[in-house]
Amino acid sequence: MVQALESIRTSGGNLEIVNQLLLPHRIEYLEINSVEDAFDAIKSMKIRGAPAIASLAALSFAQYLTKALEQSPRPAYLTSTTEDLKAHVVPILSYLYESRPTAVNLGNAIKRLNKTLKEAVEKAGGDVTQVAQALIKEAKSVADEDVGRNKDMSKHGGEWLVERVKSKGESGEGLNVLTVCNTGSLATSGYGTALGFITYLHETKQLGKAYYTQTAPYHQGSRLTALELKSLEIPSVMVCDTMVGSLFQHHRIHAVVVGADRIARNGDTANKIGTYNAAVLAARHKIAFIVVAPVATVDLDIADGTGIPIEHRPPLEACLVRGALYPFTEGREAEIAQIMITPPDLKGVYNPSFDVTPAELITAIVTEKGVATRRAGETSFDLSSVV
Ligand code: MRU
């Protein structure tokens, strides 16, 4: 039985995430009982992936308000005016927004909740409970909407690639694609973006093999994508980040398919570090380069990639690899360790978490609304049809 891993589980008022720092060796769920827990989980990358962090931030906010409504007596900000409620929750939303800077899904979720707050205050005629309930409903829909739209974008993108390959006179069966990082159910509320695209090709029997990079230094590929592809029984091959050029030289790869953390108005796309390298190599080998992401990842306020804030992770994270001690001992739980691969206290470590792929290297941008391509001779996208 094929079973996708869940990044977030909710039941009643309980909120849990799978601790991605322990994957793939241990599947351990961690309770999220406060907005501080959610902030810490996002910042420390116990949960990661643009849509998943937006979902967790929103759900922890919903949990916070739900608990407050159930409290007896209720906290002061729920017994007074809607302006008091607003003054109390706006800083909480800003706090959650600060947890990680590059993925705009989180910022969009926070913007959406601030908008709901404003509208609900205007509509509620002073009823604080009504405002709190409107916020809870909106926060839950941030997470709930994710799975459906992932399936839509995966189908749009998959069909587009099959047609493209056929139009070039090749068979649309057995497509080989390379992906970077982890974009599956662990990075989203379910199904995934680029990994959803791969899953769609697999489900419709049009996938040859899914190749994926290890994605150093955090190894989202070898730790997380490997696990997801294995649990989905999708034929796959891992490649080290340094092997992408060799892969393109020696194997027929039909497309590189990646997710995104933020897409600027012109189509420049921030995604996991190493994505730009893959795009340059794909262009050299005339391989389609496809970005698959929800509308919530498009930031129309930013004209191009130079305006995208890039998170730099602590230098130490690039000096360590996290894994289980090998060889495994029969019958014993894997011992998880962090191994230092550099001399201690190494000075001078460059560790950006993301890079920006210029639009001119991207063949198609796919959202739940459809597929955008660049007009012949143009170096940027008109994304109006897909946002
Ligand atoms: O640092 P991470 O692991 O949060 O980075 C994740 C990525 O770059 C993903 O490719 C991106 O968020 C798209 S996820 C559907």
Side-chain angles (χ1 to χ4, degrees):
M1 164 74 178
V2 172
Q3 207 176 354
L5 290 155
E6 287 174 295
S7 57
I8 304 175
R9 289 201 305 211
T10 52
S11 133
N14 293 339
L15 179 57
E16 289 181 330
I17 59 160
V18 67
N19 183 351
Q20 296 192 27
L21 296 178
L22 302 181
L23 293 176
H25 307 293
R26 202 176 297 155
I27 298 179
E28 205 169 278
Y29 280 85
L30 192 73
E31 277 184 26
I32 301 293
N33 291 312
S34 63
V35 286
E36 289 81 9
D37 284 354
F39 181 96
D40 169 71
I42 295 169
K43 183 122 197 128
S44 61
M45 293 178 70
K46 293 187 184 84
I47 186 165
R48 26 66 50 206
I53 61 183
S55 294
L56 180 66
L59 289 173
S60 74
F61 182 67
Q63 181 196 54
Y64 177 85
L65 285 179
T66 307
K67 277 188 189 167
L69 281 176
E70 285 165 1
Q71 248 174 344
S72 177
R74 282 185 177 178
Y77 62 87
L78 279 179
T79 57
S80 180
T81 65
T82 51
E83 281 309 314
D84 283 345
L85 172 62
K86 196 170 156 190
H88 183 80
V89 297
V90 166
I92 297 174
L93 290 172
S94 308
Y95 165 72
L96 285 166
Y97 173 69
E98 293 299 321
S99 53
R100 280 191 83 191
T102 301
V104 76
N105 308 53
L106 174 60
N108 276 337
I110 302 297
K111 258 193 210 158
R112 197 170 142 177
L113 289 167
N114 274 313
K115 185 163 172 263
T116 301
L117 175 62
K118 189 168 170 281
E119 288 168 358
V121 165
E122 280 162 16
K123 223 168 102 186
D127 185 338
V128 278
T129 304
Q130 214 175 307
V131 176
Q133 281 166 345
L135 283 169
I136 293 169
K137 186 162 173 254
E138 191 66 12
K140 287 185 176 165
S141 36
V142 168
D144 292 346
E145 287 164 7
D146 197 33
V147 181
R149 71 185 179 193
N150 288 344
K151 289 195 172 163
D152 289 345
M153 67 182 90
S154 298
K155 185 167 186 292
H156 294 321
E159 284 174 351
W160 179 86
L161 179 63
V162 170
E163 274 316 304
R164 178 186 153 99
V165 171
K166 277 190 190 151
S167 74
K168 291 186 183 298
E170 284 186 60
S171 157
E173 284 164 27
L175 299 180
N176 298 321
V177 298
L178 171 76
T179 192
V180 174
C181 194
N182 171 260
T183 60
S185 56
L186 289 168
T188 62
S189 294
Y191 203 72
T193 57
L195 211 66
F197 177 113
I198 289 169
T199 306
Y200 171 81
L201 289 180
H202 174 68
E203 286 169 347
T204 54
K205 306 202 176 348
Q206 298 176 101
L207 182 76
K209 277 188 188 128
Y211 293 83
Y212 57 96
T213 63
Q214 289 187 331
T215 320
Y218 190 81
H219 295 105
Q220 287 92 333
S222 52
R223 295 191 308 109
L224 310 176
T225 300
L227 182 64
E228 292 209 48
L229 288 168
K230 193 164 171 252
S231 57
L232 294 169
E233 296 171 9
I234 294 179
S236 57
V237 180
M238 181 186 83
V239 298
C240 299
D241 302 9
T242 45
M243 297 170 188
V244 173
S246 164
L247 179 74
F248 291 171
Q249 280 177 328
H250 298 291
H251 291 265
R252 174 71 179 110
I253 303 295
H254 297 87
V256 177
V257 186
V258 297
D261 288 84
R262 196 182 294 235
I263 303 172
R265 198 162 62 234
N266 72 340
D268 289 353
T269 295
N271 192 50
K272 181 50 53 195
I273 193 76
T275 302
Y276 172 51
N277 303 36
V280 172
L281 284 162
R284 157 100 187 160
H285 290 268
K286 299 193 171 35
I287 294 170
F289 189 92
I290 307 168
V291 174
V292 184
V295 172
T297 305
V298 180
D299 188 348
L300 295 175
D301 294 337
I302 287 187
D304 60 46
T306 58
I308 300 178
I310 298 292
E311 175 187 14
H312 283 246
R313 297 292 301 174
L316 185 63
E317 284 186 10
C319 302
L320 298 169
V321 288
R322 187 187 296 271
L325 290 181
Y326 184 83
F328 300 117
T329 314
E330 192 73 32
R332 263 186 56 192
E333 200 174 62
E335 203 173 317
I336 297 179
Q338 289 199 84
I339 310 281
M340 182 160 268
I341 52 166
T342 62
D345 301 324
L346 192 70
K347 300 280 177 272
V349 177
Y350 179 62
N351 192 18
S353 196
F354 303 95
D355 57 28
V356 175
T357 299
E360 62 179 297
L361 295 179
I362 300 171
T363 318
I365 295 180
V366 185
T367 73
E368 62 270 38
K369 299 237 172 112
V371 181
T373 51
R374 276 179 296 112
R375 285 208 199 96
E378 289 194 2
T379 52
S380 59
F381 281 80
D382 172 1
L383 293 175
S384 53
S385 63
V386 296
V387 292

